[in-house]
Amino acid sequence: MTFPKTMSFREKIPTSPKSPLRRRRSSWTSSWLNNSTTSFKQVVSAVMQQSQSPRSISKPQTPTDFESSNNIDRTLSLPDSLLLKILHKLPGSQNDDVSLVCKRWLNLQGRRIRTLKVLDLDFLLSGKLLSRFPKLTNVDLSNACIYPSRNSAILLCHKSISFHVSSNWDFVEENLLQSEMVDRGLRVLGRGSCDLLKLVVINATELGLLGLAEQCSDLQELELHKCSDNLLRGIAACENLRALRLVGSVDGLYTSSVSDVGLTILAQGCKRLVKLELSGCEGSFDGIRAIGQCCELLEELTVSHHRMNDGWMGALSCFESLKTLRITSCGKMDSCPGPEELLGSCPTLESLHLKRCCLSDKDGVRALFKVCDGATTVHIQDCWGLDDDCFSLAKAFRRVRFLSLEGCSALTTGGLESVVLRWEELESMRVVSCKNIKDSEISPALSSLFSLLKELTWRPDTRSHLSSRLQGAGIGKRGSKFFKKR
């Protein structure tokens, strides 16, 4: 006769997650019966501790549990938007360290980058540039458009361009990448950078510029090196362009030609320009006049290393909204500007900047000062040929309020005094590194002018002690109190 099998008291309680016994709190009897080696006193103490603790309190963590909790990445619970705000608070010196934490931080750091200077065009052509930095707004391709010289410690720099060259290497046109490859890079950049605002490129063509403009309609600032008349035919597609820098020829690097034809195309296609720089460009009166008549919003014009024909300066009077004129690194002004009575003036010009220019041509300087006679701010820095006779032409300025002279070694104290005493609205003056201007030659009239100035910076040479004498004398301060009261 067989009897049904009975359950032993020592048989384990079912461990199924669906079993109600799994969810029920274990009694002291089950604890005692399931552990034969446990004494009755240990069971009672365990039950008392269990009854005193609330049901919500979990089991105390062991050292192993603490170690596992420390290995959990708490930032995984943060959304990308919040983590980006946190990363923005970090100093720029830690950007490289942040990108090495994990892949997610690497991608987030790439989304933070807005400005990038590309050194290898293949990085752009492969698509890695845009996948790594999807939010770029400012891209510089100038170095990427030049074949680098491998294993060379010689670095050649020219303004924004810098590249390595070998010791027996002479820069010629063949060291630039082919225009077709540069255009391919522009097409790739256009397909992935719809938010592009600024671009610097060398040796592009009209087709490459047109393709980029179709994709990047928000492009506002453009810098074209080795620019030509044909390249400027694609400039009309950049409807929202606000700032433009054209570099035609650079001695020792590359040669190109921007003539009146290109300047006229530029004037008709970029009527919303606010800032324009012409470097190494050719042209004449007609090209400059076309820009002045068509670009009615232009406020700042920079001319550097110009190769323009005589007479171009007379066209500056056609700029009706021009506020700032900069002329830098020019070996000549205008050898034949035309009759002075036919020269007009810029009605809205406020500031004139001359830097590293040759001012020995008196006719060109006279024409320039005549055209800019309404300027309120005049800066002259490191210009050779500015002697007393040349500076006397500055009497043509009618309402100068601030004068800055730096590195004008040929100008004397008498030449300075003969001009500044005629400017009735002069409020501030800065004279630095003009070695022929002496403290001992300051006249009572000039000293009286100093006492009325709102601001005075006087360091004509290292031996000048006037600045230390002015402390506590009130010279250079009385004017500021006077103007504050008014």
Side-chain angles (χ1 to χ4, degrees):
M1 184 174 178
T2 60
F3 295 91
K5 186 177 179 181
T6 59
M7 180 180 293
S8 172
F9 285 101
R10 295 185 179 276
E11 188 171 345
K12 293 184 178 180
I13 298 176
T15 59
S16 173
K18 296 182 180 181
S19 174
L21 297 177
R22 175 101 177 151
R23 298 190 297 270
R24 185 182 303 171
R25 183 188 297 182
S26 59
S27 63
W28 66 273
T29 55
S30 62
S31 300
W32 191 15
L33 293 174
N34 291 336
N35 298 278
S36 59
T37 59
T38 304
S39 64
F40 181 75
K41 184 182 293 187
Q42 293 175 345
V43 172
V44 173
S45 62
V47 172
M48 291 179 63
Q49 293 179 0
Q50 185 177 8
S51 62
Q52 293 176 359
S53 61
R55 188 180 296 270
S56 59
I57 297 178
S58 60
K59 182 181 178 182
Q61 292 184 345
T62 62
T64 306
D65 297 333
F66 282 113
E67 293 177 2
S68 60
S69 63
N70 291 334
N71 293 331
I72 298 176
D73 187 1
R74 304 294 182 184
T75 62
L76 294 177
S77 60
L78 299 178
D80 289 349
S81 58
L82 180 57
L83 189 55
L84 279 173
K85 292 181 179 179
I86 297 175
L87 295 179
H88 276 299
K89 301 295 183 180
L90 297 177
S93 58
Q94 297 184 6
N95 289 340
D96 295 338
D97 298 335
V98 167
S99 61
L100 298 177
V101 173
C102 60
K103 288 186 177 180
R104 184 192 179 196
W105 286 37
L106 176 65
N107 295 331
L108 291 177
Q109 181 64 19
R111 289 167 57 182
R112 290 182 57 201
I113 302 299
R114 296 291 185 268
T115 302
L116 189 66
K117 190 170 187 177
V118 183
L119 302 180
D120 190 354
L121 194 64
D122 292 336
F123 186 53
L124 172 61
L125 296 176
S126 63
K128 296 179 181 179
L129 173 67
L130 300 179
S131 61
R132 175 71 175 83
F133 308 101
K135 300 293 184 179
L136 289 175
T137 59
N138 186 342
V139 180
D140 187 350
L141 299 178
S142 57
N143 286 22
C145 297
I146 302 175
Y147 285 112
S149 180
R150 305 296 182 182
N151 302 324
S152 175
I154 304 175
L155 183 65
L156 178 61
C157 300
H158 178 76
K159 293 187 177 181
S160 60
I161 306 175
S162 60
F163 46 90
H164 290 273
V165 298
S166 59
S167 57
N168 58 351
W169 183 83
D170 185 21
F171 194 93
V172 292
E173 300 292 336
E174 289 76 10
N175 294 103
L176 293 174
L177 292 182
Q178 295 181 358
S179 300
E180 293 78 8
M181 185 174 296
V182 177
D183 289 345
R184 283 179 51 200
L186 293 181
R187 287 194 293 269
V188 174
L189 185 63
R191 289 194 295 265
S193 296
C194 296
D195 297 333
L196 189 65
L197 299 179
K198 180 180 179 180
L199 175 66
V200 182
V201 66
I202 301 179
N203 205 26
T205 65
E206 174 189 356
L207 296 177
L209 191 59
L210 285 172
L212 178 71
E214 292 177 359
Q215 302 292 336
C216 303
S217 58
D218 295 333
L219 188 64
Q220 298 181 2
E221 190 170 351
L222 186 60
E223 185 172 332
L224 301 176
H225 291 257
K226 201 177 185 298
C227 184
S228 63
D229 294 341
N230 292 331
L231 175 60
L232 292 175
R233 298 181 186 275
I235 206 73
C238 304
E239 299 178 353
N240 296 318
L241 203 61
R242 296 293 183 271
L244 178 62
R245 181 170 185 253
L246 304 181
V247 182
S249 298
V250 178
D251 294 335
L253 297 182
Y254 47 79
T255 58
S256 186
S257 175
V258 178
S259 63
D260 286 338
V261 176
L263 296 180
T264 304
I265 296 174
L266 161 66
Q268 296 176 353
C270 300
K271 296 184 179 181
R272 298 183 181 180
L273 275 182
V274 178
K275 182 178 179 180
L276 174 63
E277 179 177 351
L278 304 175
S279 178
C281 297
E282 302 174 2
S284 64
F285 178 89
D286 295 334
I288 300 299
R289 181 181 60 178
I291 296 175
Q293 292 176 347
C294 296
C295 302
E296 298 179 353
L297 303 178
L298 192 66
E299 296 181 356
E300 181 175 339
L301 174 64
T302 301
V303 179
S304 62
H305 300 92
H306 82 80
R307 303 171 182 232
M308 298 183 184
N309 298 330
D310 296 339
W312 70 274
M313 195 169 293
L316 294 176
S317 59
C318 299
F319 292 82
E320 297 182 355
S321 301
L322 190 64
K323 295 182 179 180
T324 303
L325 175 62
R326 303 178 188 272
I327 302 179
T328 63
S329 303
C330 294
K332 65 174 183 177
M333 289 292 147
D334 192 342
S335 302
C336 186
E340 184 176 356
E341 57 272 11
L342 299 180
L343 294 175
S345 62
C346 297
T348 60
L349 189 67
E350 298 177 356
S351 180
L352 173 64
H353 297 256
L354 300 176
K355 186 176 181 180
R356 294 191 300 271
C357 294
C358 179
L359 303 181
S360 58
D361 181 12
K362 301 297 187 297
D363 294 335
V365 175
R366 182 183 292 105
L368 176 62
F369 289 172
K370 176 65 173 59
V371 172
C372 304
D373 59 355
T376 59
T377 302
V378 178
H379 296 261
I380 303 178
Q381 179 180 353
D382 298 330
C383 293
W384 60 96
L386 184 67
D387 52 14
D388 293 346
D389 293 337
C390 182
F391 189 68
S392 65
L393 301 175
K395 297 176 183 178
F397 295 116
R398 297 177 285 105
R399 49 191 184 96
V400 175
R401 296 181 180 178
F402 176 77
L403 172 66
S404 176
L405 298 174
E406 182 176 353
C408 303
S409 58
L411 184 63
T412 65
T413 310
L416 174 65
E417 179 180 355
S418 64
V419 176
V420 296
L421 291 179
R422 296 174 61 93
W423 292 341
E424 298 179 355
E425 300 183 15
L426 186 64
E427 298 177 1
S428 304
M429 185 165 61
R430 177 177 177 270
V431 179
V432 177
S433 300
C434 301
K435 63 180 182 180
N436 280 331
I437 298 179
K438 308 295 183 180
D439 293 347
S440 58
E441 299 176 357
I442 297 178
S443 65
L446 187 59
S447 178
S448 177
L449 174 64
F450 288 169
S451 65
L452 296 176
L453 292 179
K454 184 177 180 179
E455 182 180 357
L456 175 63
T457 301
W458 186 268
R459 296 194 305 272
D461 56 32
T462 56
R463 294 172 294 179
S464 176
H465 301 287
L466 180 59
S467 298
S468 60
R469 297 183 205 167
L470 292 178
Q471 295 180 1
I475 297 179
K477 300 296 183 181
R478 179 180 175 183
S480 66
K481 297 179 181 179
F482 172 76
F483 286 107
K484 286 181 181 179
K485 290 180 180 180
R486 295 186 64 182

